[in-house]
Amino acid sequence: MAKGKDYSTGNGKRWLVAVGLVVLVAIIVVVILLCIPPNTYNAIETLNRSAQTTFLKNEQEDADLRVFSQKLKDNQRLHVYTSELDDVRIIAESVSDILDFYNSSLVFASSNKNFKKNYKPIKNNLNSAKSSQKKLASILNDLTEVAVTSSSTTTALSNGMIDFRREFVKWLKYNRSAISALGKSYTGSMGNILENNEASKIIINATNDYLDVLVLQLEKVAGEDKKDNSTDDYNYVSSSVVRAFENFVDTYLTNVNSGDITSYYFDSNVQAKYEKTNKFTSLYKEDNYQKIIASAKVSEGKILFDYAFDNVSDPDGVYAQVKEFLGGNL
Amino acid sequence: MKSKKIILSVFLALVLSASSFMLFGCAKKTSSANVYKLFDESITAIKEDVDSPFTKGTINYIETNFDLQDMTNKAGNGSTVQLSYNHYRTLAAVGLNFIEKYYPLLEDNNIKADYSKLESSIKDLNKKYDTLKEEHEKFNSLKDTNADYSIYNGFFYNYKNSAYSFINSTFDCANRLGKFLNNEAKLAKNVGSESMDNEGLEFYLDYNYLNIYGDFKLFFFDSCEGEPLDLTKSSSEFTLVNLSMANFGNVVMSKMSAKKDDLVNLLADEMEYVITIFSSLDSTRGDARKAMNKFSFYNFANSYDNDINAYKKVNSFANVYYDRVLNYFVGENSAIYRVATFLQSSLAD
């Protein structure tokens, strides 16, 4: 008969028990961490803070941008950048309006199921946008000093503009991702049918489309575009889209109480409008929204969209309706 | 041994169940007739009592047998402001009108339901009425004397507080009655269908109006703590919501009274829309009520000098709640205004 293997007792066994306990505690801690639902209130608080302190809402940031913008305007070789900086201001204000819209809605969400699902992208992207905002503020602060002290002002401002633009695109991308996640949270979380209806769904999607187009366009020129008037390498083309974006946000997301979202159930014309817009989506797919947005042109103060489908007739006027919708009505 | 234990346990369980059933059966049950009698006695007393603080009148376009008297305090020495508590009068009239109109339906109904909540709410209303009457008598005895304004206002303070409690009880009672008639008696079950009748539609509308005035009550009684705020400012939030309540009385309640026998003819073609706007209002009501619970207009006026940024330091969502409350009550795009405007045009000839 084989002799059983001798196991050590005493200290060896105690070690085994101790290691077992440590492993058990570690497993319990991991399980608890995995099972704890995300504290959605933190995301709402982060959103609230972000909405109230978006880029350029701070007086110092705003003043620094004005100084920087003026310096560019005064500089013969660099004044071409001023309209781009005007657009920066418009984009920042519109992003702020969008965050305000979600902030004033999501605090009343009747279900936080979708909020939980999107908790991380909301919180992380808003926090990253905040860090990016600090960098933007720091760049602006440096540039206002450079404008006063540097002997080679033109080169310094020109390089500063490149740095600023690169960071601004990052800031916009973070906000775009946060806003996209906020849109997903909104849909299905609002028990209030005055807010959760066809109009709000379409408006939220189109807002994301606008941000996607802007990010795409600005990304293309970030870091590469012209440094001064000595080259023709300046491909910034987003001004019309920015104007259309501003108009769209002002029409549909600012003062929501007077817009289509809350009047949807009270106004059959508004319902008909979104029925047509929906029909467009089913006929031509939603990615065409972005093509239409990218074709924005401002002509005599009006926003027009050049984009036309080849060989597409529009008997029901759905195509025209979408163009009208995207242009806002202000 | 084991089987004995089982038999004993079963026997004990049977005894316990039987005694519970017997006790339950012997308990005094509230019947529809009893509750009707209580309502009838109470409403008749409030209406006809010689010492009642109520009289027949019209307040904010609402005709009523329950116009609460003497709801104005006296201007203080050196003060030009005399506070009128007309919002108390309006709310009392709406709540009591509803009870007066619908309690008769409790008589001779065969609905088997739990009437205990209705019974307790009317009993509570009675208690509050006794206090109200008592405080009014004290205040009334002083009213025509040359009592110093501070003494006068001291008595008014007690009278006003008793009115505050009474109106809260009135709404509680009216809401319970409305809920009973809606859920148990199913008075509005045919609304929207081809068999809709005038009585059902009238109740459906009245019950929705009661809820709307319940929203106003929450604003005035909870968020403003019952006090008229900043009356010297024509655009104060209190004044704006007060005007909204008066507007609702004017364009809806007064028209409704005049057209109550013809509602089906007036609204039949638009019932789908009527139901939609009331369910829209229902769903947005939750947000407005949450905002009113989170935002004190009383503190906003008295502790923060109407400065929203100061309020935001203690409540980071203060501006969001503030906007939500006003968006619900005030302005042409507010939910209440939209409902009122639609009903105004529908109830017109």
Side-chain angles (χ1 to χ4, degrees), chain A residues 20 22 34 37 59-60 64 97 99 124 126 147 160 183 207 209 235 253 264 271 294 297 326:
Chain A
V22 169
L34 286 174
E59 282 179 14
Q60 189 57 49
D64 284 348
D97 287 342
L99 293 178
N124 293 346
L126 286 176
T207 305
D209 288 332
N235 297 308
L253 298 177
Y264 183 82
Q271 288 171 23
K297 293 279 176 296
L326 288 172

Side-chain angles (χ1 to χ4, degrees), chain A residues 43-328:
Chain A
I44 290 176
E45 277 290 341
T46 307
L47 170 62
N48 189 32
R49 203 168 43 247
S50 294
Q52 292 179 29
T53 57
T54 335
F55 181 48
L56 299 183
K57 269 195 172 173
N58 175 298
E59 282 179 14
Q60 189 57 49
E61 290 171 0
D62 184 62
D64 284 348
L65 183 71
R66 283 183 199 286
V67 170
F68 180 43
S69 191
Q70 192 57 47
K71 290 291 166 193
L72 294 176
K73 202 180 273 180
D74 294 343
N75 186 311
Q76 271 197 331
R77 291 171 66 191
L78 300 176
H79 70 90
V80 67
Y81 287 131
T82 44
S83 73
E84 188 179 341
L85 280 187
D86 287 346
D87 290 350
V88 162
R89 184 178 295 284
I90 292 171
I91 292 171
E93 284 170 1
S94 296
V95 165
S96 174
D97 287 342
I98 297 168
L99 293 178
D100 275 342
F101 164 75
Y102 284 117
N103 187 39
S104 60
S105 304
L106 283 169
V107 71
F108 296 104
S110 59
S111 154
N112 62 2
K113 193 177 152 197
N114 285 354
F115 216 142
K116 276 181 185 169
K117 276 187 202 162
N118 294 285
Y119 167 77
K120 275 190 181 168
I122 292 170
K123 199 164 184 289
N124 293 346
N125 283 301
L126 286 176
N127 284 336
S128 299
K130 192 52 66 188
S131 305
S132 178
Q133 184 178 331
K134 281 181 189 160
K135 286 182 192 163
L136 283 171
S138 166
I139 293 169
L140 278 178
N141 190 263
D142 291 348
L143 287 171
T144 50
E145 280 182 27
V146 163
V148 178
T149 57
S150 173
S151 52
S152 55
T153 311
T154 302
T155 313
L157 288 178
S158 179
N159 287 334
M161 181 67 203
I162 303 291
D163 291 343
F164 178 79
R165 184 195 283 140
R166 279 181 181 157
E167 196 56 48
F168 183 72
V169 172
K170 279 188 198 168
W171 175 85
L172 188 60
K173 281 172 82 172
Y174 289 132
N175 277 298
R176 189 261 320 254
S177 302
I179 286 167
S180 167
L182 284 165
K184 287 176 191 160
S185 297
Y186 180 100
T187 312
S189 297
M190 307 306 296
N192 179 349
I193 61 171
L194 286 186
E195 292 183 12
N196 189 22
N197 51 48
E198 281 308 306
S200 63
K201 282 173 204 160
I202 291 168
I203 289 166
I204 283 170
N205 283 340
T207 305
N208 293 337
D209 288 332
Y210 260 110
L211 285 166
D212 284 346
V213 171
L214 279 172
V215 165
L216 209 67
Q217 289 189 347
L218 295 178
E219 234 177 358
K220 271 186 191 168
V221 296
E224 292 173 10
D225 245 5
K226 129 183 230 161
K227 292 185 177 176
D228 59 54
N229 246 9
S230 58
T231 67
D232 293 329
D233 187 20
Y234 189 60
N235 297 308
Y236 180 74
V237 291
S238 301
S239 278
S240 295
V241 176
V242 172
R243 293 296 181 287
F245 176 53
E246 178 190 28
N247 213 28
F248 181 86
V249 171
D250 284 351
T251 302
Y252 299 107
L253 298 177
T254 313
N255 298 320
V256 172
N257 211 38
S258 59
D260 287 355
I261 290 178
T262 45
S263 59
Y264 183 82
Y265 275 102
F266 294 105
D267 191 334
S268 54
N269 292 329
V270 176
Q271 288 171 23
K273 173 179 167 182
Y274 287 93
E275 203 175 302
K276 268 192 180 181
T277 316
N278 245 345
K279 203 169 175 187
F280 172 89
T281 312
S282 58
L283 281 173
Y284 305 116
K285 308 301 171 205
E286 198 174 328
D287 59 349
N288 285 310
Y289 273 83
Q290 295 193 11
K291 290 175 185 162
I292 298 173
I293 288 168
S295 74
K297 293 279 176 296
V298 177
S299 171
E300 295 175 356
K302 285 189 173 178
I303 292 158
L304 304 170
F305 297 97
D306 278 353
Y307 188 78
F309 293 115
D310 291 333
N311 305 320
V312 168
S313 60
D314 188 23
D316 298 329
V318 292
Y319 190 19
Q321 176 66 73
V322 166
K323 283 184 173 182
E324 197 186 318
F325 161 70
L326 288 172

Side-chain angles (χ1 to χ4, degrees), chain B residues 161-199:
Chain B
N161 283 351
S162 63
Y164 181 93
S165 297
F166 174 80
I167 293 165
N168 272 330
S169 292
T170 303
F171 265 78
D172 180 53
C173 184
N175 281 326
R176 284 188 193 281
L177 180 61
K179 198 173 172 185
F180 176 85
L181 295 173
N182 193 52
N183 299 350
E184 306 293 341
K186 303 200 184 305
L187 213 58
K189 68 177 177 188
N190 291 326
V191 166
S193 72
E194 283 185 5
S195 48
M196 176 172 76
D197 58 15
N198 214 62
E199 188 192 25

Side-chain angles (χ1 to χ4, degrees), chain B residues 12 27 68 93 106 132 138 186 200 210 227 229 246 257 262 331 342 349:
Chain B
L12 272 172
L68 190 57
L106 294 173
L132 175 72
K138 287 182 198 167
K186 303 200 184 305
L210 182 72
E227 292 307 305
L229 304 173
S257 310
D262 206 21
F342 165 72
D349 288 321

